[in-house]
Amino acid sequence: MIARVVDAPLSVAEHEDAVADKRAGAVVSFAGVVRDHDGGRSVTELEYVGHPTAADVLTELAEEFAARPGVHAVAVSHRVGLLGIGDVALACAVSTAHRGEAFAACAELVDEVKKRLPIWKRQVFTDGEEEWVACP
């Protein structure tokens, strides 16, 4: 199992390799990538800042999903720091016996990470303005 918060580039392929399992008939992965716009405004960069508990929360989430019936393995990482357009901010992979449960588990994992992980995003726009997103 991989569950980490890092300040280095993420590899989705590494996450796929980490969940490889002879029992698995399906591996589904996800890459959350920094896009060049939000809400009709052009974005130049993002910065993610994590709470000190972020790694523990991510480990807890990965363990919850890995313990589900039918899930063989889970790998999930979130990047922090300054990211450019096209960089991977969230990498996930899940292996299961069948594709339907792999797609469902991976999608739910992404949703739960976005809901529960204490990481906040600062967007910088081309006009020099910035905003914090998902910040309490």
Side-chain angles (χ1 to χ4, degrees):
M1 181 184 80
I2 292 176
R4 59 187 179 209
V5 175
V6 298
D7 63 357
L10 297 175
S11 164
V12 174
E14 177 188 359
H15 287 69
E16 292 168 343
D17 290 345
V19 301
D21 188 296
K22 292 179 182 178
R23 300 168 297 162
V27 171
V28 171
S29 60
F30 172 82
V33 179
V34 177
R35 62 180 181 260
D36 69 354
H37 66 280
D38 187 49
R41 299 175 72 189
S42 295
V43 173
T44 59
E45 64 187 21
L46 296 182
E47 179 184 17
Y48 286 96
V49 177
H51 187 273
T53 62
D56 293 336
V57 171
L58 198 59
T59 297
E60 183 179 294
L61 274 166
E63 288 172 346
E64 285 176 20
F65 277 79
R68 289 182 174 192
V71 173
H72 298 307
V74 173
V76 57
S77 298
H78 201 295
R79 190 165 167 197
V80 292
L82 200 58
L83 281 72
I85 305 304
D87 287 346
V88 176
L90 174 63
C92 303
V94 176
S95 64
T96 67
H98 303 285
R99 70 180 179 273
E101 57 194 2
F103 277 111
C106 192
E108 189 177 348
L109 177 60
V110 170
D111 290 343
E112 285 299 309
V113 166
K114 291 186 70 73
K115 185 188 318 179
R116 294 169 46 188
L117 189 64
I119 289 182
W120 303 283
K121 176 172 68 174
R122 180 180 66 91
Q123 298 187 117
V124 179
F125 299 100
T126 54
D127 62 8
E129 289 189 30
E130 59 184 55
E131 74 176 355
W132 285 92
V133 180
C135 191

